[in-house]
Amino acid sequence: SIAKLSDESSPVSLCFSIGIFGESCMVMLKYVEVYFKGKGSKGKESDAIKPTAVFIVIYSEGVRFISSLTAVIVSAVFYVKENSEGHKKDQDHYRVLASSAVDPSVWVRGDFPIMILLVGFIVSLTIMQIRIYCAPPFEITKKTSIPMNLDFVIHRHGEWILLMLGESILSLLIVEVKESTQYYVVFFFGVATVILI
């Protein structure tokens, strides 16, 4: 829950940061492999593979790697400091879905690792968008970047949309049926919205 993610004595923030860091490491290793073993179409060497891999490793994924590593370090320091033997803390335990002592609308120090991850993600996306929209002339771009596989991207986006629409219908269907007008209004307008989308 949100309260557990912001709680410095809980390992949830640390585990989340480690997971994001692990994902960033895997993506970095993927592009390192692309740099050394990548081939162009029909098995020929391509001039665009290495510059694209270097750009992604240094700028786009490099920012996410550094921000996720920073978040892991910060959340580990918070966790160790809060759980050290000499640290005295109120031991009131609250149910996860019940009220807690932490107001989620108030900024707490435990939110800092998540904010680091968010800022790193936004900076990474901004760098990629700048590269896309402020690209050099076409002749230079053609030699230094790999074009997107549009058929694959269209197919994947179509699958994502179908998945989200199916999940929307499923979430409307698994709710307990109540014999009330409000339930049926929400249900039928929800189904109509998904159908019209």
Side-chain angles (χ1 to χ4, degrees), residues 7-162:
D7 186 10
E8 297 170 19
S9 64
S10 172
V12 174
S13 179
L14 178 60
C15 292
F16 183 74
S17 300
I18 289 171
I20 299 294
F21 177 68
E23 185 266 340
S24 181
C25 289
M26 287 189 282
V27 171
M28 293 279 279
L29 288 173
K30 177 181 81 170
Y31 281 106
V32 167
E33 181 183 15
V34 166
Y35 180 82
F36 288 111
K37 297 190 180 220
K39 301 271 186 212
S41 61
K42 299 177 185 170
K44 293 191 256 177
E45 288 290 326
S46 173
D47 294 338
I49 290 177
K50 289 187 179 189
T52 301
V54 168
F55 178 85
I56 290 173
V57 165
I58 291 176
Y59 295 107
S60 178
E61 286 302 320
V63 170
R64 289 186 60 219
F65 178 82
I66 291 170
S67 67
S68 60
L69 178 62
T70 306
V72 167
I73 292 169
V74 168
S75 59
V77 167
F78 287 167
Y79 180 70
V80 169
K81 185 177 178 185
E82 286 295 315
N83 291 312
S84 64
E85 289 181 26
H87 190 269
K88 303 242 192 270
K89 186 172 172 150
D90 183 21
Q91 295 297 324
D92 290 338
H93 296 287
Y94 296 95
R95 291 189 344 227
V96 175
L97 296 176
S99 64
S100 67
V102 179
D103 181 10
S105 64
V106 176
W107 172 268
V108 293
R109 192 174 73 164
D111 293 332
F112 193 58
I114 304 303
M115 292 306 296
I116 292 172
L117 292 172
L118 178 65
V119 168
F121 181 72
I122 291 171
V123 169
S124 173
L125 285 180
T126 304
I127 288 171
M128 288 304 285
Q129 295 305 315
I130 289 171
R131 181 170 189 217
I132 291 169
Y133 293 112
C134 301
F138 181 70
E139 294 79 26
I140 298 171
T141 304
K142 194 163 81 171
K143 291 179 182 176
T144 61
S145 67
I146 300 171
M148 187 185 310
N149 186 344
L150 291 179
D151 292 335
F152 176 75
V153 172
I154 289 170
H155 183 267
R156 296 297 285 187
H157 281 284
E159 286 178 345
W160 178 253
I161 289 169
L162 289 174

